Amino acid sequence: MTLELPPRLATDWLTRVLVLASGVVVEVVAARHPALPPGMGVVTLGCLLAWHWMRTRPGRLLCTASLEDDGRWQLQFRDGRRAAARLGPGSRLLGRSVILHWTMARGGRAVWLTPWDLPDADLRRLAVRLRALRHADRAPRPQVPTEP
């Protein structure tokens, strides 16, 4: 199963709105306190935008995520890099959306996929595969007798 991810996820747009709102709120609160220097909201906004840009710069954006038959994932980034990954414990099914948390050799990666990012059929198919993998992990393993 291969997921073709859009260049920008809906959560990226939501993050931008929340970053902007945070900067405005800090600026409004700082304006009500005369002892605080003006521009704190602008500084906060700049720091949050830099953090968001570091997380979503073009080289770090996922292009495709492929689930192999054995449960391993292959992630391909927009700059052409590939990485082998496995699904981490932070992965969740939330209504019609899916949070995927991958662990890789160097760090991890998480995406929140919503109906705005992928067609409903792909999200349903992904949810079924994740449930099947989760139940396969919970299945009791046969005990191999050890020799004395």
Side-chain angles (χ1 to χ4, degrees):
M1 163 184 237
T2 300
L3 301 172
E4 298 288 334
L5 302 175
R8 294 287 179 194
L9 299 173
T11 53
D12 291 336
W13 295 106
L14 178 62
T15 302
R16 288 182 184 142
V17 169
L18 291 174
V19 163
L20 180 62
S22 298
V24 169
V25 166
V26 169
E27 190 64 35
V28 167
V29 169
R32 297 185 52 89
H33 296 282
L36 295 176
M40 286 185 60
V42 175
V43 171
T44 301
L45 179 63
C47 291
L48 290 173
L49 283 175
W51 164 80
H52 181 63
W53 181 80
M54 290 298 290
R55 283 186 58 248
T56 61
R57 64 184 183 267
R60 289 185 48 96
L61 294 176
L62 279 174
C63 179
T64 59
S66 301
L67 176 60
E68 307 293 331
D69 292 333
D70 60 357
R72 290 180 299 149
W73 288 83
Q74 285 294 325
L75 307 178
Q76 182 172 354
F77 296 88
R78 297 233 180 258
D79 64 357
R81 288 182 301 122
R82 293 182 150 275
R86 62 181 176 81
L87 210 55
S91 301
R92 301 278 184 266
L93 301 174
L94 297 172
R96 293 177 47 209
S97 65
V98 177
I99 296 174
L100 296 173
H101 184 269
W102 292 290
T103 55
M104 298 177 282
R106 290 180 41 191
R109 183 79 177 148
V111 295
W112 184 358
L113 300 173
T114 66
W116 293 284
D117 301 319
L118 292 175
D120 282 337
D122 288 348
L123 278 174
R124 278 193 299 271
R125 190 173 40 220
L126 177 61
V128 168
R129 294 287 297 266
L130 291 177
R131 283 188 187 113
L133 287 172
R134 189 175 352 169
H135 289 300
D137 287 343
R138 290 183 185 165
R141 309 242 191 264
Q143 295 294 325
V144 177
T146 59
E147 295 189 33

